[in-house]
């Protein structure tokens, strides 16, 4: 684990274009529960502290560890060394059948922010999904959201902006949908159907 941290500091965290919060290199952890289960909270925090010490020797203020998925209000995030939270895709798994309207997914997203954010001891950054359709990978078992439009996505972004303002989230960060999740209909790159409308939104 410390070898991984050393490599990240030397090859990524110190790059001028690596995202930093308060001069701390941001490192997102997707499956939070797996790491905590394997290392235990105190053990994981020790590794993150070692990464941070190495980052400080390289000229940074440390690292900012972001929890991205597989956690809840009872997960010992602070004890494990996490700095903030978001949630990758706030409605992907909630569709009961194919053909759930995107508008319903957007409502679920707002509900998730309101339910999850205040229960955590760390800053919570809302995430705004572009869409979801994993049929390229799951076929008949896919969960598909339909009728998505850029104006609906824009309204979801505005809702996230209001959420961050109301919660006084510091720093005031909002996560947008994935840049290139083509096999999940969850991307912000221009395409032949929507053109640049999502980026404009």
């Amino acid at each position: 684990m410390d070898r991984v941290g050393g490599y990240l500091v030397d090859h990524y965290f110190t790059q001028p274009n690596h995202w930093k919060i308060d001069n701390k290199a941001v490192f997102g952890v997707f499956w939070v529960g797996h790491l905590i289960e394997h290392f235990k909270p105190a053990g994981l925090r020790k590794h993150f502290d070692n990464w941070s010490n190495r980052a400080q020797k390289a000229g940074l203020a440390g690292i900012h560890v972001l929890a991205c998925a597989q956690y809840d209000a009872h997960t010992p995030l602070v004890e494990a060394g996490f700095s903030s939270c978001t949630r990758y895709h706030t409605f992907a798994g909630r569709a009961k059948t194919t053909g759930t309207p995107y508008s319903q997914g957007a409502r679920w997203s707002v509900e998730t922010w309101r339910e999850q954010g205040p229960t955590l001891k760390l800053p919570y950054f809302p995430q705004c999904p572009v869409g979801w359709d994993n049929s390229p990978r799951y076929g008949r078992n896919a969960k598909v959201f339909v009728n998505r439009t850029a104006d609906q996505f824009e309204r979801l972004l505005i809702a996230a902006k209001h959420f961050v303002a109301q919660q006084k989230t510091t720093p005031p960060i909002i996560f947008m949908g994935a840049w290139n999740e083509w096999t999940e209909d969850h991307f912000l790159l221009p395409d032949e159907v929507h053109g640049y409308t999502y980026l404009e939104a």
Side-chain angles (χ1 to χ4, degrees):
M1 184 78 166
D2 289 336
R3 288 177 59 193
V4 171
Y7 188 89
L8 290 171
V9 170
D10 294 342
H11 293 84
Y12 294 100
F13 293 170
T14 50
Q15 295 299 313
N17 62 342
H18 189 94
W19 183 27
K20 299 174 182 70
I21 295 176
D22 297 329
N23 200 34
K24 294 182 178 181
V26 178
F27 180 76
V29 176
F30 190 69
W31 292 118
V32 170
H34 291 336
L35 278 184
I36 292 178
E37 182 180 355
H38 182 78
F39 290 105
K40 307 307 178 196
L44 186 56
R45 186 183 191 99
K46 182 178 179 180
H47 285 298
F48 287 151
D49 286 345
N50 289 341
W51 291 18
S52 191
N53 291 337
R54 180 141 182 180
Q56 289 171 9
K57 292 176 181 177
L60 300 174
I63 61 167
H64 181 108
V65 188
L66 173 70
C68 300
Q70 202 195 38
Y71 66 85
D72 58 29
H74 305 292
T75 306
L77 296 172
V78 174
E79 296 82 354
F82 286 88
S83 310
S84 63
C85 310
T86 189
R87 178 171 171 178
Y88 175 76
H89 215 300
T90 45
F91 62 71
R94 295 184 67 171
K96 301 298 183 184
T97 60
T98 59
T100 304
Y102 176 86
S103 59
Q104 177 61 62
R107 285 193 292 271
W108 284 335
S109 288
V110 176
E111 290 172 8
T112 297
W113 309 336
R114 291 175 176 170
E115 292 169 3
Q116 191 169 49
T119 68
L120 303 169
K121 300 175 183 177
L122 296 170
Y124 179 84
F125 307 135
Q127 192 265 358
C128 299
V130 175
W132 186 261
D133 176 354
N134 59 3
S135 57
R137 293 186 293 120
Y138 286 90
R140 294 179 181 177
N141 297 319
K143 294 186 176 181
V144 181
F145 287 80
V146 297
N147 303 326
R148 69 176 176 87
T149 58
D151 63 316
Q152 294 180 86
F153 179 61
E154 182 177 9
R155 286 195 287 272
L156 183 59
L157 291 169
I158 292 170
K161 189 175 178 181
H162 286 297
F163 174 83
V164 165
Q166 291 169 356
Q167 297 295 314
K168 296 181 172 59
T169 306
T170 304
I173 292 169
I174 295 168
F175 279 87
M176 291 182 286
W179 186 244
N180 60 355
E181 287 281 14
W182 292 97
T183 61
E184 296 175 348
D185 194 37
H186 185 44
F187 58 88
L188 275 168
L189 290 168
D191 64 23
E192 294 181 354
V193 176
H194 303 284
Y196 285 84
T197 57
Y198 276 82
L199 288 173
E200 291 166 353

